[in-house]
Amino acid sequence: MSSLQQRRERSEHGARSAPEPAVAAGDDPRQFAQVLSAVYDAAMAGERLPARPRSVISDSWDRVLTAGVDPELGGPDNALAVGDLEARRQESGLSLILEDLTRGLDAVIADGDNILVVADRGGRVLWRSGATRVLGKADRLGFVEGASWAENSVGTNAIGTALMSGRAVQVFSAEHFVRSHHSWTCAGAPITDPRTGSVLGVVDVSGPAATIHPTTLALVDAVAKLAESALRDHHRESLDALRAVAAPILARSSGPALAVDNHGWVAAVDAVPPARRVVLPRTLSPGRAWVAGLGECDLDPLPGGWLVRVTGSDEAQRTTVELVLSGSRPQVRVTGGAGVWSHEPSPRHAQILAYLAEQPAGATAAQMSAHLFGVDDRVVT
């Protein structure tokens, strides 16, 4: 029985306490690559397999075949334009921890044999770093910033397969579904948002197949978990900042109220039973809404969250928002039943707010672009 088949059977009997690397300590990578190549060729030809691939790989191959990915060409994909890529970076929530990811994996890419890649929840490559010669090899595979490395685009790979399986994955040589990727090895681990439990993206280390090492996967997985810990720290800091804003407002509140962030995590309460989190309406907007566990509430926006006032049978005071442009600095003033708070937007944000205030029916991105820049094609900005 081959080492590949033995390890497949071990993975199917009993839970693992750590991610399983593609090549275990003691395995000969060259021999292992030959076995994988024979398995791959047989699978693509529909013939009997000389050994069974690991379950995470066979499951991925099934998904990729169903998606119609061409094993000789991969799926068609165009890398994002620079403006769209930058917008995707900002939306990903990963920029906060980019330094943590880079610092944690510096040692792996320091010798110039591997590159570090961070992708978003859709498998789009957001950032890359590494030696120029390895980045050049990645370029020839289309492994560039803005490209999609989801399974349904390029087949089985550590980024797309980690996203689909929800766990850290190492993909070696012919475990990749697309033949042109067989000269590579990659290890990727998903990064989970501690606020929502959803996956934000993947951190990946990739390089030529000869650079494979059994410990790389464990290291990548550990760095992903450290990044999640950093996200929890950022979240606590944001709740502290929200609490500082909300405390004086809650002190003046005439009834039960609490301050929560945009995900419902509670920063401060007044005359409300303490809770870690409340379930907010799917669509958030100022005004009256039903909040599970609290009943009918009035929602007022705060910097970084919402003031939730339990109304009961009392009619809450109407909330008004005023944009003041007369002074040296623009100011937004919000007045409601719990008091008043203000915020100083940037000049550009004030310009946007003033334009929207004059457009009660709303405006399209193209109209906004024409107003701000004189052209209607800067919709991403």
Side-chain angles (χ1 to χ4, degrees):
M1 184 182 294
S2 71
S3 62
L4 175 63
Q5 191 166 349
Q6 289 174 335
R7 292 176 62 227
R8 162 70 183 263
E9 293 189 354
R10 286 200 301 270
S11 72
E12 293 175 341
H13 294 84
R16 292 190 304 271
S17 59
E20 180 192 20
V23 177
D27 285 346
D28 183 342
R30 290 171 298 180
Q31 181 183 9
F32 199 67
Q34 292 173 354
V35 174
L36 290 173
S37 182
V39 170
Y40 177 87
D41 289 340
M44 295 303 109
E47 300 172 353
R48 182 178 179 181
L49 305 185
R52 289 183 295 171
R54 294 182 294 146
S55 58
V56 67
I57 300 301
S58 61
D59 290 346
S60 174
W61 284 1
D62 289 342
R63 291 191 297 266
V64 170
L65 283 167
T66 301
V69 177
D70 189 327
E72 302 300 329
L73 300 175
D77 179 65
N78 295 317
L80 297 175
V82 173
D84 293 332
L85 174 61
E86 186 57 36
R88 197 97 173 210
R89 286 170 171 170
Q90 297 302 317
E91 295 166 1
S92 70
L94 294 168
S95 56
L96 285 172
I97 53 171
L98 184 60
E99 185 176 340
D100 297 284
L101 295 172
T102 304
R103 183 172 58 249
L105 292 169
D106 270 346
V108 179
I109 63 173
D111 59 6
D113 290 330
N114 292 279
I115 62 174
L116 169 66
V117 177
V118 179
D120 68 10
R121 71 187 70 191
R124 286 279 177 182
V125 176
L126 300 182
W127 294 279
R128 297 187 317 171
S129 61
T132 302
R133 61 181 179 83
V134 185
L135 289 173
K137 293 179 180 179
D139 290 345
R140 291 191 285 275
L141 292 177
F143 199 14
V144 298
E145 291 180 344
S148 172
W149 276 68
E151 279 191 343
N152 59 6
S153 291
V154 295
T156 304
N157 70 93
I159 291 174
T161 304
L163 287 170
M164 293 301 297
S165 66
R167 61 183 174 118
V169 177
Q170 189 170 43
V171 180
F172 172 59
S173 188
E175 290 182 325
H176 290 92
F177 186 79
V178 176
R179 194 179 297 274
S180 61
H181 302 166
H182 289 186
S183 61
W184 279 69
T185 182
C186 49
I191 301 168
T192 301
D193 188 341
R195 300 169 300 177
T196 64
S198 61
V199 174
L200 290 175
V202 174
V203 58
D204 168 270
V205 169
S206 294
T211 66
I212 190 170
H213 195 283
T215 61
T216 303
L217 180 60
L219 178 58
V220 170
D221 192 38
V223 169
K225 288 180 169 56
L226 287 173
E228 291 171 355
S229 178
L231 284 172
R232 281 190 287 272
D233 290 341
H234 285 296
H235 186 216
R236 282 192 290 267
E237 291 170 3
S238 68
L239 287 178
D240 289 342
L242 176 58
R243 187 176 299 114
V245 171
I249 297 175
L250 290 175
R252 296 192 299 269
S253 178
S254 59
L258 63 162
V260 301
D261 70 4
N262 293 317
H263 300 281
W265 291 95
V266 178
V269 301
D270 182 64
V272 176
R276 293 187 63 197
R277 191 179 186 185
V278 298
V279 180
L280 294 174
R282 187 179 298 273
T283 302
L284 288 172
S285 60
R288 187 69 57 89
W290 182 268
V291 178
L294 296 174
E296 200 170 58
C297 298
D298 280 327
L299 304 182
D300 293 318
L302 293 172
W306 295 85
L307 177 67
V308 180
R309 291 182 288 115
V310 183
T311 61
S313 59
D314 298 330
E315 282 296 319
Q317 181 177 329
R318 180 180 177 85
T319 297
T320 60
V321 181
E322 182 183 13
L323 177 62
V324 181
L325 301 174
S326 56
S328 59
R329 294 182 177 179
Q331 190 177 66
V332 176
R333 296 175 185 168
V334 179
T335 304
V340 179
W341 64 270
S342 62
H343 172 69
E344 291 186 1
S346 68
R348 175 66 80 192
H349 286 169
Q351 186 182 5
I352 292 172
L353 289 171
Y355 176 67
L356 291 175
E358 296 169 352
Q359 310 293 325
T364 66
Q367 289 170 334
M368 181 87 67
S369 174
H371 175 75
L372 296 175
F373 307 112
V375 293
D376 62 4
D377 59 354
R378 296 185 63 177
V379 294
V380 173
T381 305

